[in-house]
Amino acid sequence: MSIYSVEDQFVAAMLADATVASYLGGPPARLYDTQLPQNAKFPCCAFQRISTTPLYTHGAPDNSGVFQPAQANSGRTRFQVTVWADVNAVRPPNQVRQIAEAIKAAIRNFNAWNVAIIPSANQVVNQRGGVEAETQPPLPFQRFDVIIPFADNT
């Protein structure tokens, strides 16, 4: 199976990490694009692409010989990742932090640029945690954003 989009690459990389897979691997895997399904099993994780900043390059020259900018199929994207604990775990707040740390460690090794980048250029930003008070029972969560350089083949 070919993997093309940044989202597809992200899921494959996270589930290929042994620690992340031990928490979310399933089957079925509990790593969801955009939102949780109805009756999701916990612990689980949802992620979504928040924004994308494409790179621009010098394109081909026009009839007057002036190079026109062209949008490349690469750039930087920002994902938001949210992890929820299993409230039946011995210490749900600890579990959610452990899963979030495992995902962040896997992100440090994730390369969506499709070329060798040493060290990883991914950046974790805006980390926060809390409790989803509107749920019964209340669910502990960790949420963070990550900026990922990418080459998107979609």
Side-chain angles (χ1 to χ4, degrees):
M1 177 178 94
S2 295
I3 298 173
Y4 292 104
S5 73
V6 179
E7 288 85 354
D8 291 342
Q9 293 177 56
F10 182 81
V11 169
M14 295 306 104
L15 294 178
D17 181 89
T19 306
V20 174
S22 72
Y23 287 117
L24 305 176
R30 296 180 310 277
L31 179 60
Y32 304 103
D33 189 349
T34 310
Q35 66 184 27
L36 299 181
Q38 197 74 348
N39 300 317
K41 301 275 190 249
F42 295 91
C44 59
C45 175
F47 68 93
Q48 62 182 336
R49 191 188 295 212
I50 299 299
S51 64
T52 300
T53 306
L55 294 179
Y56 289 89
T57 63
H58 291 293
D62 62 15
N63 292 338
S64 65
V66 176
F67 282 88
Q68 299 299 318
Q71 184 174 326
N73 69 335
S74 57
R76 290 167 41 108
T77 189
R78 185 178 189 127
F79 278 16
Q80 184 173 81
V81 179
T82 306
V83 180
W84 291 273
D86 180 353
V87 295
N88 296 316
V90 174
R91 297 195 57 183
N94 286 349
Q95 182 192 53
V96 76
R97 281 192 295 274
Q98 291 168 350
I99 297 168
E101 289 303 317
I103 291 170
K104 288 188 289 184
I107 286 170
R108 283 192 286 278
N109 296 317
F110 173 49
N111 181 354
W113 191 250
N114 299 324
V115 295
I117 299 175
I118 301 172
S120 170
N122 303 328
Q123 298 173 307
V124 174
V125 294
N126 296 334
Q127 181 174 339
R128 57 214 170 274
V131 174
E132 302 277 7
E134 303 280 326
T135 61
Q136 286 302 320
L139 289 170
F141 73 90
Q142 287 281 312
R143 183 171 293 131
F144 57 91
D145 292 359
V146 59
I147 299 171
I148 301 170
F150 73 95
D152 201 351
N153 299 316
T154 57

